[in-house]
Amino acid sequence: MPLSEDNASVSKNQLWIGWIASILPTLFLLMDGVMKLAKPKFVVDATVELGYPESVIVGLGVVLTLCTILYAIPRTSVLGAILLTGYLGGAVATHVRLGHPLFSHILVPVYLGILLWGGLYLRDTRLRALIPFNSQIAFEASNKMRWAGYILGALPVLMLLFSGVLKLVKPPALVEGFAHLGYPISTALGIGILEITCTIIYLIPRTAVLGAILVAAYMGGAITTHLRIGEPFILQFLLGVLAWGGLYLRDPRLRALLPLKS
């Protein structure tokens, strides 16, 4: 992977640490994707043990491999990181549903996500200007684009806030819904707090990009949950797209990174 001229102001130490941090999860995820495409017996057995039908393995392998390739290409690395964040969010949700240990199972996808974004953060000063805090609020976008961005972002914000509050209140219908999705009701409070926290971080202009990353991870978990039981997940996918689409229209600096780095 060649070094980009965009990184001229990044020190050599930061640049190489960034590449190493990026390469490690890239190799791991690429191997995982290829193994899902090959479908050896131990992969099939592991997937079924996690509660997924064998029929989804190849599709997951295709998605994971393509997302990893996008991340490995410098000009599409940020887009790849967003997509992989959603995929890793699905892995977190799977371990939460099964009640696996926190540090050795649930947080492993989080570790990978930190390496993916940390590598980009060290390599590209433009991303550092957006995460975790915007160095300045960009108003170069036209009024129409800015308002269109706010409108696009409003739907995922309202949906997540409403969903989070419901999980805090825990009405009977929610208890039934959790049982249907395979989650213990004891996880409702934590998930509700997570939804509200992600939404608040997204709503604050100076932390909006960090919030969008967290929303992508959460929506990945929601998509995986519905995929496992054979239900449509188009709504969850669209909410993630709208969250990022709103930021894309509002901030020209993000448009310089997505989908192709200028």
XYZ file of all heavy atoms in Angstrom, residues 139-237:
747
model
N -18.777 25.347 7.630
C -20.021 25.898 7.118
C -19.912 26.238 5.636
O -20.662 27.047 5.127
C -20.401 27.161 7.893
C -20.794 26.884 9.316
C -19.963 27.231 10.357
C -21.994 26.261 9.600
C -20.326 26.980 11.665
C -22.358 26.005 10.909
C -21.521 26.359 11.945
N -18.949 25.603 4.940
C -18.757 25.907 3.533
C -19.879 25.359 2.654
O -20.035 25.765 1.519
C -17.415 25.350 3.047
C -16.216 26.044 3.648
C -15.802 25.420 4.982
O -16.594 24.597 5.495
O -14.735 25.755 5.496
N -20.637 24.413 3.192
C -21.729 23.834 2.411
C -22.839 24.866 2.229
O -23.048 25.750 3.054
C -22.276 22.597 3.125
N -23.578 24.738 1.128
C -24.693 25.641 0.875
C -25.789 25.403 1.895
O -25.855 24.350 2.539
C -25.238 25.417 -0.534
O -25.863 24.149 -0.619
N -26.657 26.413 2.053
C -27.763 26.280 3.002
C -28.639 25.094 2.672
O -29.102 24.361 3.566
C -28.601 27.560 3.010
C -27.916 28.687 3.756
O -27.129 28.444 4.667
N -28.216 29.923 3.366
N -28.883 24.864 1.373
C -29.736 23.745 0.965
C -29.115 22.415 1.370
O -29.792 21.520 1.898
C -29.977 23.783 -0.543
C -30.907 24.901 -0.988
C -31.162 24.824 -2.480
C -32.125 25.934 -2.927
N -32.369 25.882 -4.393
N -27.820 22.264 1.111
C -27.152 21.005 1.456
C -27.103 20.816 2.969
O -27.275 19.702 3.478
C -25.743 20.977 0.872
C -25.697 20.870 -0.636
S -24.025 20.636 -1.271
C -23.674 18.988 -0.710
N -26.879 21.904 3.688
C -26.797 21.804 5.137
C -28.133 21.375 5.732
O -28.199 20.491 6.585
C -26.333 23.140 5.712
C -25.700 23.010 7.068
C -24.793 24.162 7.428
N -25.503 25.430 7.490
C -25.227 26.472 6.725
N -24.278 26.382 5.819
N -25.889 27.602 6.831
N -29.210 22.011 5.265
C -30.536 21.647 5.786
C -30.951 20.252 5.347
O -31.595 19.513 6.104
C -31.563 22.689 5.362
C -31.514 23.896 6.241
C -31.054 25.140 5.924
C -31.900 23.964 7.611
N -31.134 25.985 6.999
C -31.643 25.296 8.055
C -32.429 23.055 8.522
C -31.899 25.716 9.352
C -32.686 23.460 9.819
C -32.428 24.780 10.220
N -30.580 19.879 4.124
C -30.851 18.510 3.674
C -30.120 17.512 4.562
O -30.660 16.445 4.909
C -30.427 18.341 2.222
N -28.897 17.862 4.961
C -28.145 16.996 5.857
C -28.808 16.849 7.212
O -28.883 15.747 7.774
N -29.317 17.960 7.757
C -29.997 17.891 9.053
C -31.273 17.048 8.958
O -31.610 16.294 9.881
C -30.348 19.291 9.544
C -29.160 20.043 10.102
C -28.780 21.273 9.578
C -28.411 19.519 11.159
C -27.684 21.963 10.082
C -27.320 20.203 11.666
C -26.968 21.421 11.132
O -25.885 22.090 11.635
N -31.993 17.191 7.852
C -33.232 16.423 7.670
C -32.922 14.929 7.564
O -33.609 14.093 8.171
C -33.998 16.919 6.429
C -34.524 18.346 6.669
C -35.152 15.977 6.098
C -35.076 19.006 5.441
N -31.885 14.589 6.796
C -31.511 13.178 6.669
C -31.122 12.584 8.023
O -31.480 11.452 8.349
C -30.340 13.023 5.688
C -30.637 13.129 4.200
C -29.371 12.877 3.397
C -31.714 12.132 3.781
N -30.374 13.358 8.804
C -29.927 12.852 10.095
C -31.010 12.800 11.150
O -30.852 12.114 12.173
N -32.127 13.497 10.922
C -33.181 13.568 11.941
C -33.857 12.222 12.160
O -34.184 11.866 13.302
C -34.219 14.615 11.540
N -34.075 11.450 11.086
C -34.797 10.178 11.230
C -34.040 9.181 12.102
O -34.621 8.630 13.057
C -35.101 9.580 9.856
C -35.878 8.263 9.871
C -37.210 8.434 10.589
C -36.097 7.745 8.453
N -32.764 8.898 11.832
C -32.064 7.973 12.738
C -31.978 8.491 14.166
O -32.037 7.700 15.117
C -30.668 7.828 12.104
C -30.524 8.967 11.169
C -31.903 9.285 10.704
N -31.860 9.803 14.342
C -31.806 10.374 15.690
C -33.111 10.090 16.437
O -33.099 9.611 17.582
C -31.543 11.896 15.623
C -31.884 12.561 16.952
C -30.085 12.164 15.260
N -34.238 10.377 15.799
C -35.537 10.170 16.443
C -35.789 8.688 16.722
O -36.285 8.322 17.796
C -36.655 10.739 15.563
C -36.666 12.267 15.401
C -37.730 12.690 14.398
C -36.907 12.948 16.755
N -35.446 7.845 15.762
C -35.659 6.409 15.934
C -34.821 5.846 17.078
O -35.308 5.059 17.901
C -35.326 5.678 14.632
C -36.290 5.958 13.493
S -37.892 5.132 13.705
C -37.454 3.434 13.426
N -33.554 6.253 17.142
C -32.681 5.734 18.191
C -33.084 6.247 19.577
O -33.048 5.497 20.559
C -31.232 6.115 17.887
C -30.526 5.242 16.842
C -29.181 5.840 16.466
C -30.345 3.817 17.355
N -33.458 7.523 19.651
C -33.896 8.065 20.934
C -35.159 7.356 21.419
O -35.273 6.985 22.595
C -34.146 9.568 20.818
C -32.900 10.472 20.814
C -33.308 11.918 20.619
C -32.110 10.299 22.105
N -36.119 7.184 20.522
C -37.369 6.506 20.877
C -37.095 5.069 21.314
O -37.613 4.601 22.338
C -38.322 6.525 19.681
C -39.619 5.819 19.930
C -40.583 6.373 20.766
C -39.881 4.607 19.320
C -41.784 5.719 21.001
C -41.084 3.947 19.550
C -42.027 4.497 20.390
N -36.252 4.371 20.547
C -35.919 2.985 20.877
C -35.184 2.897 22.206
O -35.441 1.994 23.022
C -35.055 2.388 19.760
O -34.669 1.064 20.065
N -34.271 3.854 22.444
C -33.535 3.845 23.695
C -34.422 4.071 24.900
O -34.290 3.387 25.931
N -35.339 5.017 24.794
C -36.259 5.298 25.904
C -37.146 4.087 26.185
O -37.404 3.743 27.347
C -37.109 6.546 25.594
C -38.221 6.704 26.622
C -36.236 7.795 25.556
N -37.627 3.429 25.129
C -38.456 2.227 25.323
C -37.701 1.161 26.103
O -38.267 0.478 26.966
C -38.886 1.665 23.970
C -40.100 2.293 23.288
C -40.395 1.580 21.986
C -41.327 2.242 24.203
N -36.411 1.012 25.794
C -35.622 -0.009 26.491
C -35.400 0.359 27.953
O -35.212 -0.525 28.795
C -34.295 -0.218 25.760
C -34.448 -0.919 24.409
C -33.139 -1.053 23.689
C -33.303 -1.843 22.384
N -34.172 -1.170 21.415
N -35.390 1.632 28.260
C -35.280 2.040 29.661
C -36.579 1.779 30.418
O -36.564 1.386 31.585
C -34.908 3.530 29.748
C -33.565 3.954 29.125
C -33.327 5.434 29.377
C -32.413 3.129 29.664
N -37.703 1.996 29.732
C -39.011 1.806 30.357
C -39.392 0.324 30.430
O -40.039 -0.131 31.384
C -40.086 2.604 29.592
C -41.467 2.365 30.194
C -39.749 4.091 29.612
N -39.004 -0.436 29.394
C -39.263 -1.877 29.294
C -40.749 -2.240 29.388
O -41.179 -2.942 30.322
C -38.458 -2.645 30.344
C -36.971 -2.642 30.069
C -36.227 -3.671 30.895
C -36.125 -3.258 32.335
N -35.189 -4.129 33.094
N -41.584 -1.778 28.448
C -42.992 -2.204 28.428
C -43.090 -3.687 28.060
O -42.139 -4.273 27.546
C -43.592 -1.315 27.323
C -42.445 -0.988 26.437
C -41.254 -0.887 27.324
N -44.239 -4.319 28.310
C -44.393 -5.752 28.030
C -44.073 -6.134 26.588
O -43.491 -7.190 26.335
C -45.870 -6.014 28.357
C -46.216 -4.965 29.366
C -45.425 -3.752 28.984
N -44.450 -5.268 25.635
C -44.184 -5.576 24.230
C -42.682 -5.676 23.967
O -42.233 -6.482 23.136
C -44.804 -4.504 23.336
N -41.892 -4.862 24.667
C -40.441 -4.907 24.490
C -39.873 -6.217 25.024
O -38.980 -6.811 24.408
C -39.787 -3.723 25.202
C -38.255 -3.656 25.059
C -37.875 -3.151 23.681
C -37.643 -2.779 26.134
N -40.400 -6.669 26.142
C -39.950 -7.946 26.717
C -40.195 -9.072 25.727
O -39.328 -9.929 25.502
C -40.670 -8.219 28.051
C -40.259 -9.583 28.608
C -40.359 -7.119 29.066
N -41.375 -9.075 25.111
C -41.690 -10.095 24.108
C -40.776 -9.972 22.896
O -40.325 -10.973 22.331
C -43.149 -9.964 23.678
C -44.145 -10.253 24.798
C -45.573 -9.997 24.358
O -45.784 -9.682 23.161
O -46.490 -10.121 25.198
N -40.499 -8.722 22.489
C -39.633 -8.498 21.342
C -38.217 -8.998 21.592
O -37.594 -9.596 20.702
N -37.705 -8.780 22.782
C -36.361 -9.252 23.113
C -36.302 -10.775 23.085
O -35.325 -11.368 22.622
C -35.934 -8.716 24.477
C -35.063 -7.494 24.403
C -35.503 -6.351 23.743
C -33.800 -7.480 24.948
C -34.711 -5.226 23.659
C -32.986 -6.367 24.864
C -33.444 -5.232 24.220
N -37.346 -11.412 23.605
C -37.386 -12.873 23.585
C -37.407 -13.381 22.148
O -36.738 -14.369 21.809
C -38.614 -13.368 24.351
N -38.159 -12.698 21.289
C -38.237 -13.082 19.879
C -36.877 -12.945 19.194
O -36.492 -13.787 18.359
C -39.271 -12.202 19.166
C -39.301 -12.380 17.683
N -39.715 -13.556 17.077
C -38.967 -11.525 16.662
C -39.635 -13.429 15.764
N -39.187 -12.216 15.494
N -36.128 -11.902 19.548
C -34.823 -11.662 18.929
C -33.712 -12.490 19.551
O -32.590 -12.524 19.026
C -34.459 -10.171 19.026
C -35.365 -9.207 18.254
C -34.990 -7.767 18.563
C -35.284 -9.460 16.756
N -34.006 -13.140 20.672
C -33.028 -14.024 21.292
C -32.153 -13.387 22.347
O -31.162 -13.983 22.774
N -32.498 -12.168 22.793
C -31.710 -11.472 23.810
C -32.380 -11.592 25.164
O -33.609 -11.461 25.274
C -31.566 -9.991 23.460
C -30.647 -9.714 22.293
C -31.142 -9.714 20.988
C -29.300 -9.453 22.491
C -30.313 -9.470 19.918
C -28.461 -9.199 21.418
C -28.971 -9.209 20.138
O -28.141 -8.976 19.065
N -31.597 -11.783 26.227
C -32.193 -11.741 27.570
C -32.640 -10.320 27.891
O -31.971 -9.350 27.515
C -31.046 -12.190 28.478
C -29.794 -11.897 27.709
C -30.154 -12.081 26.257
N -33.744 -10.173 28.576
C -34.277 -8.845 28.883
C -33.322 -8.055 29.790
O -33.380 -6.821 29.840
C -35.672 -8.962 29.534
C -36.370 -7.595 29.573
C -35.558 -9.583 30.908
C -36.577 -6.963 28.231
N -32.425 -8.761 30.460
C -31.449 -8.088 31.321
C -30.512 -7.172 30.541
O -29.879 -6.284 31.123
C -30.628 -9.123 32.097
O -29.934 -9.987 31.200
N -30.416 -7.382 29.218
C -29.538 -6.542 28.399
C -30.235 -5.271 27.916
O -29.588 -4.399 27.343
C -29.033 -7.318 27.166
O -30.158 -7.661 26.329
C -28.295 -8.583 27.573
N -31.541 -5.146 28.140
C -32.306 -4.024 27.595
C -31.802 -2.685 28.118
O -31.651 -1.724 27.358
C -33.797 -4.192 27.900
N -31.551 -2.604 29.418
C -31.112 -1.340 30.003
C -29.789 -0.878 29.395
O -29.656 0.285 28.991
C -30.971 -1.479 31.517
C -30.467 -0.237 32.268
C -31.433 0.923 32.080
C -30.280 -0.552 33.749
N -28.819 -1.783 29.314
C -27.527 -1.428 28.736
C -27.641 -1.014 27.288
O -26.996 -0.045 26.846
N -28.462 -1.732 26.507
C -28.634 -1.396 25.097
C -29.325 -0.052 24.948
O -28.973 0.761 24.085
C -29.426 -2.510 24.376
C -28.603 -3.804 24.351
C -29.777 -2.087 22.949
C -29.340 -4.991 23.782
N -30.322 0.213 25.809
C -31.011 1.502 25.765
C -30.075 2.660 26.071
O -30.094 3.695 25.393
N -29.234 2.497 27.084
C -28.261 3.542 27.422
C -27.288 3.746 26.268
O -26.925 4.886 25.933
C -27.503 3.165 28.709
C -28.454 3.204 29.914
C -26.307 4.089 28.939
C -27.843 2.684 31.190
N -26.876 2.645 25.622
C -25.970 2.737 24.479
C -26.607 3.514 23.335
O -25.973 4.385 22.725
C -25.582 1.333 24.020
C -24.659 1.249 22.811
C -23.305 1.892 23.112
C -24.470 -0.206 22.377
N -27.871 3.216 23.034
C -28.565 3.921 21.953
C -28.645 5.426 22.223
O -28.355 6.248 21.342
C -29.981 3.360 21.792
C -30.038 2.009 21.119
C -31.460 1.497 20.993
O -32.230 1.656 21.954
O -31.787 0.938 19.938
N -29.028 5.777 23.426
C -29.174 7.199 23.766
C -27.816 7.898 23.757
O -27.682 9.022 23.260
C -29.858 7.343 25.139
C -31.303 6.837 25.044
C -29.834 8.793 25.603
C -32.015 6.752 26.382
N -26.790 7.227 24.273
C -25.456 7.816 24.301
C -24.932 8.059 22.890
O -24.398 9.136 22.583
C -24.487 6.898 25.065
O -24.967 6.702 26.398
C -23.085 7.508 25.117
N -25.067 7.063 22.011
C -24.626 7.217 20.620
C -25.346 8.382 19.945
O -24.734 9.164 19.197
C -24.879 5.932 19.833
S -23.862 4.535 20.344
N -26.636 8.497 20.217
C -27.430 9.560 19.601
C -26.984 10.931 20.084
O -26.858 11.874 19.290
C -28.921 9.358 19.914
O -29.311 8.034 19.544
C -29.762 10.355 19.138
N -26.744 11.059 21.373
C -26.306 12.345 21.919
C -24.952 12.748 21.333
O -24.737 13.906 20.945
C -26.236 12.278 23.461
C -27.650 12.152 24.046
C -25.533 13.515 24.029
C -27.675 11.899 25.530
N -24.029 11.792 21.246
C -22.709 12.084 20.663
C -22.865 12.506 19.205
O -22.176 13.422 18.725
C -21.787 10.857 20.786
C -21.495 10.574 22.262
C -20.480 11.072 20.023
C -20.734 9.295 22.504
N -23.789 11.868 18.490
C -24.040 12.219 17.095
C -24.657 13.608 16.973
O -24.374 14.353 16.020
C -24.961 11.175 16.469
C -25.332 11.456 15.030
C -24.444 11.194 14.001
C -26.580 11.977 14.700
C -24.783 11.446 12.679
C -26.926 12.238 13.389
C -26.020 11.967 12.378
O -26.358 12.233 11.071
N -25.502 13.981 17.932
C -26.191 15.271 17.874
C -25.260 16.456 18.140
O -25.508 17.561 17.655
C -27.329 15.302 18.885
C -28.628 14.603 18.479
C -29.582 14.551 19.660
C -29.268 15.317 17.298
N -24.212 16.249 18.911
C -23.276 17.328 19.216
C -22.386 17.561 17.996
O -21.657 16.650 17.580
C -22.420 16.981 20.446
C -23.316 16.770 21.676
C -21.384 18.084 20.719
C -22.584 16.219 22.877
N -22.425 18.741 17.378
C -21.680 18.964 16.132
C -20.202 18.601 16.218
O -19.643 18.042 15.273
C -21.880 20.462 15.874
C -23.189 20.778 16.510
C -23.235 19.921 17.744
N -19.558 18.883 17.334
C -18.117 18.658 17.432
C -17.756 17.186 17.621
O -16.580 16.813 17.510
C -17.531 19.502 18.558
C -17.636 21.012 18.310
C -16.961 21.810 19.400
N -15.525 21.639 19.381
C -14.674 22.335 18.614
N -15.153 23.242 17.779
N -13.384 22.129 18.674
N -18.734 16.338 17.919
C -18.461 14.903 18.059
C -19.336 14.078 17.113
O -19.486 12.870 17.298
C -18.704 14.442 19.509
O -20.063 14.747 19.881
C -17.754 15.121 20.468
N -19.905 14.731 16.099
C -20.880 14.064 15.236
C -20.282 12.883 14.473
O -20.939 11.848 14.302
C -21.478 15.069 14.251
N -19.045 13.003 13.999
C -18.440 11.909 13.236
C -18.196 10.701 14.128
O -18.459 9.556 13.741
C -17.126 12.375 12.567
C -16.445 11.213 11.862
C -17.416 13.489 11.563
N -17.709 10.937 15.343
C -17.543 9.838 16.297
C -18.898 9.196 16.580
O -19.010 7.959 16.637
C -16.926 10.366 17.593
C -16.764 9.345 18.724
C -15.881 8.197 18.295
C -16.203 10.025 19.971
N -19.931 10.005 16.733
C -21.266 9.465 16.955
C -21.741 8.619 15.789
O -22.353 7.565 15.976
N -21.433 9.055 14.555
C -21.834 8.298 13.372
C -21.124 6.942 13.313
O -21.710 5.941 12.881
C -21.531 9.100 12.108
N -19.872 6.899 13.759
C -19.152 5.623 13.818
C -19.836 4.676 14.790
O -20.041 3.487 14.501
C -17.681 5.862 14.227
C -16.939 6.629 13.131
C -16.975 4.530 14.505
C -15.548 7.073 13.523
N -20.212 5.198 15.951
C -20.899 4.376 16.947
C -22.271 3.923 16.447
O -22.680 2.780 16.682
C -21.043 5.164 18.251
C -19.732 5.555 18.944
C -20.009 6.441 20.157
C -18.936 4.327 19.345
N -22.976 4.813 15.740
C -24.277 4.450 15.170
C -24.105 3.338 14.134
O -24.911 2.395 14.072
C -24.961 5.676 14.545
C -26.173 5.261 13.703
C -25.395 6.657 15.629
N -23.046 3.410 13.327
C -22.787 2.366 12.329
C -22.581 1.017 13.005
O -23.095 -0.012 12.542
C -21.571 2.735 11.488
N -21.821 1.020 14.104
C -21.597 -0.225 14.835
C -22.900 -0.768 15.404
O -23.185 -1.971 15.323
C -20.584 0.008 15.956
N -23.710 0.127 15.965
C -24.981 -0.309 16.547
C -25.908 -0.877 15.470
O -26.538 -1.924 15.665
C -25.668 0.850 17.267
C -26.948 0.419 17.934
C -26.934 -0.179 19.186
C -28.177 0.552 17.280
C -28.101 -0.620 19.776
C -29.348 0.117 17.873
C -29.300 -0.470 19.120
O -30.458 -0.928 19.700
N -25.996 -0.200 14.336
C -26.862 -0.677 13.257
C -26.367 -2.006 12.693
O -27.162 -2.846 12.272
C -26.950 0.372 12.149
C -27.729 1.614 12.544
S -29.388 1.193 13.128
C -29.910 2.768 13.810
N -25.046 -2.193 12.706
C -24.518 -3.490 12.293
C -25.007 -4.597 13.205
O -25.356 -5.697 12.745
N -25.056 -4.303 14.504
C -25.590 -5.282 15.438
C -27.064 -5.561 15.200
O -27.514 -6.710 15.270
N -27.825 -4.514 14.895
C -29.259 -4.692 14.624
C -29.475 -5.499 13.344
O -30.358 -6.373 13.282
C -29.931 -3.324 14.503
N -28.672 -5.217 12.322
C -28.783 -5.965 11.060
C -28.502 -7.443 11.290
O -29.233 -8.325 10.810
C -27.826 -5.376 10.012
C -28.329 -4.010 9.547
C -27.670 -6.320 8.821
C -27.346 -3.251 8.674
N -27.434 -7.734 12.018
C -27.071 -9.123 12.296
C -28.171 -9.844 13.069
O -28.465 -11.013 12.815
C -25.762 -9.161 13.102
O -24.733 -8.498 12.370
C -25.329 -10.587 13.372
N -28.768 -9.139 14.011
C -29.838 -9.726 14.824
C -31.009 -10.160 13.954
O -31.538 -11.273 14.105
C -30.322 -8.709 15.873
O -29.243 -8.416 16.768
C -31.494 -9.257 16.660
N -31.428 -9.301 13.025
C -32.557 -9.639 12.152
C -32.155 -10.666 11.096
O -32.972 -11.501 10.693
C -33.099 -8.374 11.491
C -33.817 -7.475 12.452
N -35.109 -7.706 12.863
C -33.422 -6.343 13.102
C -35.485 -6.761 13.718
N -34.481 -5.929 13.885
N -30.896 -10.611 10.636
C -30.421 -11.599 9.667
C -30.487 -13.005 10.247
O -30.894 -13.950 9.551
C -28.978 -11.256 9.272
C -28.263 -12.263 8.363
C -28.905 -12.280 6.978
C -26.780 -11.919 8.242
N -30.130 -13.156 11.491
C -30.094 -14.479 12.121
C -31.451 -15.152 12.116
O -31.551 -16.374 11.930
C -29.579 -14.351 13.564
C -29.410 -15.679 14.285
C -29.027 -15.463 15.730
N -30.118 -14.889 16.506
C -31.099 -15.595 17.056
N -31.142 -16.909 16.912
N -32.058 -14.998 17.749
N -32.525 -14.360 12.312
C -33.857 -14.970 12.386
C -34.630 -14.816 11.074
O -35.831 -15.064 11.014
C -34.668 -14.367 13.554
C -34.801 -12.856 13.417
C -34.025 -14.729 14.882
C -35.638 -12.212 14.518
N -33.926 -14.409 10.030
C -34.536 -14.343 8.702
C -35.502 -13.211 8.497
O -36.398 -13.299 7.638
N -35.372 -12.118 9.252
C -36.249 -10.965 9.097
C -35.574 -9.873 8.262
O -34.338 -9.786 8.222
C -36.618 -10.392 10.468
C -37.538 -11.281 11.271
C -37.981 -10.628 12.576
O -37.397 -9.579 12.950
O -38.901 -11.164 13.218
N -36.365 -9.020 7.593
C -35.777 -7.921 6.805
C -34.989 -6.959 7.701
O -35.369 -6.725 8.853
C -37.004 -7.224 6.199
C -38.108 -8.222 6.274
C -37.836 -9.054 7.490
N -33.905 -6.430 7.150
C -33.087 -5.477 7.927
C -32.835 -4.199 7.135
O -31.890 -3.461 7.421
C -31.758 -6.113 8.329
C -31.029 -6.794 7.202
C -30.257 -6.069 6.299
C -31.128 -8.170 7.035
C -29.590 -6.686 5.270
C -30.457 -8.806 5.997
C -29.682 -8.064 5.113
N -33.693 -3.921 6.144
C -33.505 -2.744 5.299
C -33.620 -1.454 6.116
O -32.908 -0.476 5.854
C -34.523 -2.749 4.128
C -34.242 -1.593 3.171
C -35.942 -2.710 4.645
C -32.921 -1.665 2.473
N -34.524 -1.422 7.116
C -34.693 -0.220 7.920
C -33.406 0.116 8.671
O -32.970 1.272 8.688
C -35.839 -0.394 8.910
C -36.040 0.760 9.903
C -36.350 2.065 9.163
C -37.142 0.442 10.908
N -32.799 -0.880 9.295
C -31.569 -0.651 10.049
C -30.437 -0.180 9.128
O -29.653 0.707 9.487
C -31.153 -1.928 10.787
C -32.076 -2.327 11.924
C -33.400 -2.919 11.453
O -33.515 -3.408 10.329
N -34.401 -2.895 12.318
N -30.378 -0.766 7.940
C -29.362 -0.359 6.970
C -29.573 1.091 6.537
O -28.631 1.890 6.483
C -29.413 -1.292 5.755
C -28.459 -0.914 4.657
C -27.115 -1.228 4.753
C -28.904 -0.239 3.530
C -26.223 -0.869 3.744
C -28.036 0.117 2.520
C -26.689 -0.196 2.624
